[in-house]
């Protein structure tokens, strides 16, 4: 049997498979997106105004971060964190850019102020896409690694899925990224804690973080980790989707 | 045929502006292949329908950020496939499900004859078993190209591999399939 004949047999087989046939489109209830996005945007702007007022009181700054969190990230305090650089290597399965777009429902966009990432991974525990840039002349290395930037992107959940334990010496600052609320975390290395895959076990020692900028764009939370300063991180964050 | 791409282009532009009717029209045009892609991943009819429905909702939410001018169908199918993969990852300890054929009742007046119809059904069954025995990298290409009916380009986009790799894996997959069928007949 030649390959053309085998191809014909496969096409014939396709006509005899037990494919699903139900009309799922008629079961959809779709609400126009633009209106919802405007509402979300207004909600974040209102929150930011409230926060600016509260943050004017220095003693209230950390309490606000602890209370609110941002984009599924909530903050807690710890005495200190010991560096374990090997944990950086666990990013999840390598995936293509197309797969990343599919995993995030294609809403996510790359920062145009950076070259294309050196690798992209899927972290099933977070349902996140992790983009990795190697350190080079323009990107200082993160802690003791050869990584320049880690950008973690995940759908913003209703309940927090990440907890950051911040040792003394780490500062948290509210910032605006394209008029949306963002958080800047700078100082001593801090630890990221997230639930395990089976959901029940909450604490799983994960990565150490350098300076971190967290912000919301659309329905996604972005988390940029690097050794860069706030101005450089904001420049990258604001170039997402340019 | 020239009218159809223009019509889809217009639907995409309107859908990207939040037009529900236009988006629904796009979904209806690609629903059949979307259900097939979901079924090839989750291998269960009911779950494939749920996966497709959930993926369509995600696609709708993502539509305002869709780049008008790029291909809609591979974009939509990638969302469907990834929704399916997420479900499969969640049940990875279960026994892997298999693709199924429809039950065929051969009537006495089957053409050209009931015996021929039975033989054809048996040949299809053996072919499907051989497809299931292919290594995943070949099986993925073979089922998307020949069972779901995707083009080389669409298969490449969906699986995240270069078009040349789709071509070579399809050729090698067919060769291996041939070998498996011959082995089964011995």
């Amino acid at each position: 049997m030649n390959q053309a004949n085998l191809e014909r047999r496969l096409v014939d087989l396709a006509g005899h498979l037990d494919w699903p046939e139900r009309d799922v489109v008629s079961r959809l209830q779709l609400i126009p997106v633009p209106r919802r996005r405007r509402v979300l945007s207004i909600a974040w702007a209102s929150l930011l105004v409230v926060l600016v007022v509260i943050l004017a009181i220095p003693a209230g700054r950390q309490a606000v971060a602890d209370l609110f969190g941002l984009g599924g990230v909530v903050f807690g305090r710890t005495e200190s964190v010991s560096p374990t650089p090997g944990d950086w290597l666990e990013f999840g399965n390598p995936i293509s850019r197309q797969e990343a777009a599919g995993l995030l429902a294609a809403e996510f966009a790359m920062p145009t102020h950076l070259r294309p990432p050196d690798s992209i991974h899927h972290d099933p525990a977070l349902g996140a896409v992790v983009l990795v840039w190697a350190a080079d002349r323009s990107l200082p290395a993160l802690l003791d690694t050869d990584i320049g930037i880690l950008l973690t992107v995940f759908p913003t959940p209703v309940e927090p899925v990440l907890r950051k334990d911040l040792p003394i010496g780490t500062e948290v600052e509210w910032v605006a990224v394209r008029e949306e609320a963002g958080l800047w975390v700078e100082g001593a290395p801090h630890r990221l804690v997230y639930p395990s895959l089976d959901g029940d076990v909450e604490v799983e020692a994960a990565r150490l973080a350098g300076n971190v900028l967290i912000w919301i764009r659309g329905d996604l939370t972005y988390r940029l980790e690097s050794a860069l300063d706030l101005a450089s991180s904001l420049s990258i964050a604001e170039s997402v989707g340019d | 045929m020239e009218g159809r791409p223009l019509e889809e282009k217009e639907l995409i532009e309107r859908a990207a502006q939040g037009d529900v009717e236009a988006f629904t029209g796009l979904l209806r045009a690609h629903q059949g292949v979307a259900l097939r892609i979901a079924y090839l991943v989750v291998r269960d009819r009911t779950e494939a329908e749920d996966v497709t429905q959930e993926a369509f909702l995600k696609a709708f939410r993502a539509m305002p950020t869709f780049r008008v001018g790029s291909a809609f169908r591979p974009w939509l199918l990638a969302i469907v496939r990834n929704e399916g993969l997420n479900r499969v990852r969640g049940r990875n300890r279960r026994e892997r499900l298999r693709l199924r054929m429809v039950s065929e009742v051969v009537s006495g007046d089957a053409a050209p004859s009931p015996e021929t119809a039975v033989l054809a059904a048996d040949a299809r069954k053996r072919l499907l078993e051989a497809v299931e025995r292919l290594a995943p990298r070949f099986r993925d290409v073979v089922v998307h190209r020949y069972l779901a009916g995707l083009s080389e380009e669409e298969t490449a986009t969906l699986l995240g591999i270069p078009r040349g790799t789709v071509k070579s894996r399809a050729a090698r997959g067919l060769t291996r399939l041939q070998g498996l069928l011959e082995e089964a007949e011995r």
Side-chain angles (χ1 to χ4, degrees):
Chain A
M1 188 193 315
N2 61 30
Q3 289 208 339
N5 189 18
L6 194 49
E7 286 176 342
R8 278 194 292 275
R9 283 185 61 188
L10 284 164
V11 172
D12 166 72
L13 173 64
H16 293 80
L17 286 181
D18 193 20
W19 300 109
E21 292 172 344
R22 187 182 293 179
D23 178 8
V24 296
V25 177
S26 61
R27 293 155 66 190
L28 291 174
Q29 291 188 328
L30 303 176
I31 301 166
V33 173
R35 182 179 297 174
R36 182 169 157 268
R37 286 179 168 274
R38 263 199 308 277
V39 170
L40 263 182
S41 195
I42 291 165
W44 275 112
S46 307
L47 176 62
L48 198 56
V49 169
V50 172
L51 290 172
V52 165
V53 173
I54 297 173
L55 288 173
I57 308 164
R61 183 181 293 261
Q62 185 54 51
V64 170
D66 286 345
L67 182 62
F68 284 96
L70 177 70
V73 183
V74 68
F75 290 85
R77 277 285 181 190
T78 185
E79 288 300 311
S80 64
V81 171
S82 303
T84 51
D87 291 340
W88 282 107
L89 302 176
E90 299 298 327
F91 299 134
N93 301 323
I95 56 171
S96 68
R97 184 172 173 165
Q98 288 91 342
E99 286 176 313
L103 284 165
L104 296 170
E107 288 185 15
F108 107 106
M110 298 279 187
T112 56
H113 282 197
L114 290 172
R115 64 179 193 268
D118 295 301
S119 63
I120 306 177
H121 306 260
H122 175 230
D123 181 341
L126 275 177
V129 167
V130 182
L131 298 95
V132 183
W133 284 263
D136 61 16
R137 284 180 186 171
S138 61
L139 281 182
L142 255 168
L143 304 176
D144 297 329
T145 73
D146 56 0
I147 291 165
I149 287 181
L150 272 186
L151 179 60
T152 308
V153 190
F154 54 95
T156 303
V158 176
E159 296 294 329
V161 294
L162 283 175
R163 194 184 84 221
K164 277 181 173 296
D165 286 339
L166 306 175
I168 294 162
T170 303
E171 294 300 322
V172 181
E173 181 181 352
W174 287 93
V175 295
V177 179
R178 284 194 168 190
E179 300 179 346
E180 299 279 359
L183 275 172
W184 172 247
V185 186
E186 182 178 8
H190 50 282
R191 183 173 57 204
L192 184 67
V193 181
Y194 57 86
S196 66
L197 260 179
D198 48 20
D200 292 332
V201 183
E202 185 181 327
V203 178
E204 188 173 296
R207 302 158 198 155
L208 291 165
N211 294 336
V212 174
L213 180 63
I214 301 164
W215 74 101
I216 306 278
R217 186 173 186 275
D219 293 334
L220 297 177
T221 297
Y222 288 75
R223 178 172 169 276
L224 181 80
E225 299 181 49
S226 71
L228 298 171
D229 61 15
L230 174 59
S232 301
S233 298
L234 276 175
S235 168
I236 293 169
E238 291 183 339
S239 79
V240 168
D242 262 355
Chain B
M1 288 297 287
E2 282 198 6
R4 184 178 165 146
L6 283 176
E7 187 184 325
E8 175 152 311
K9 184 169 175 277
E10 197 175 12
L11 284 174
I12 290 169
E13 285 171 354
R14 286 171 53 196
Q17 298 297 316
D19 185 327
V20 171
E21 197 178 329
F23 186 73
T24 304
L26 286 170
L27 293 185
R28 286 200 188 285
H30 301 296
Q31 176 172 221
V33 68
L35 284 163
R36 287 189 174 205
I37 296 301
Y39 179 67
L40 288 176
V41 179
V42 300
R43 292 157 175 259
D44 176 271
R45 280 184 66 143
T46 307
E47 189 158 19
E49 288 160 359
D50 288 346
V51 161
T52 305
Q53 187 170 340
E54 186 60 33
F56 282 180
L57 285 171
K58 285 190 174 176
F60 180 67
R61 287 198 289 269
M63 197 60 209
T65 60
F66 177 77
R67 192 173 298 164
V68 176
S70 53
F72 178 78
R73 184 163 113 148
W75 175 80
L76 179 70
L77 296 183
I79 295 174
V80 172
R81 176 174 155 80
N82 284 308
E83 183 65 23
L85 287 172
N86 285 338
R87 298 283 184 104
V88 172
R89 285 188 189 107
R91 66 170 190 207
N92 56 7
R93 286 178 191 162
R94 279 196 235 161
E95 191 180 345
R96 190 167 167 272
L97 300 173
R98 303 179 74 81
L99 297 174
R100 293 166 61 94
M101 289 199 299
V102 289
S103 304
E104 289 175 300
V105 179
V106 179
S107 68
D109 55 355
S113 72
E115 292 78 13
T116 310
V118 168
L119 285 173
D122 190 51
R124 284 187 205 105
K125 188 179 166 208
R126 279 187 277 115
L127 178 58
L128 183 56
E129 286 169 355
V131 169
E132 293 281 30
R133 288 178 61 197
L134 282 173
R137 65 184 183 282
F138 298 124
R139 187 176 59 232
D140 276 349
V141 170
V142 166
V143 299
H144 285 93
R145 283 282 288 120
Y146 302 110
L147 301 187
L150 300 190
S151 68
E152 279 180 357
E153 190 69 44
E154 288 174 325
T155 304
T157 303
L158 198 64
L159 301 181
I161 55 179
R163 187 172 176 175
T165 306
V166 170
K167 212 178 181 67
S168 62
R169 285 187 189 174
R172 291 173 66 193
L174 290 176
T175 303
R176 291 182 187 222
L177 202 52
Q178 179 67 40
L180 289 167
L181 286 170
E182 287 170 1
E183 186 184 299
E185 284 167 7
R186 275 185 219 129

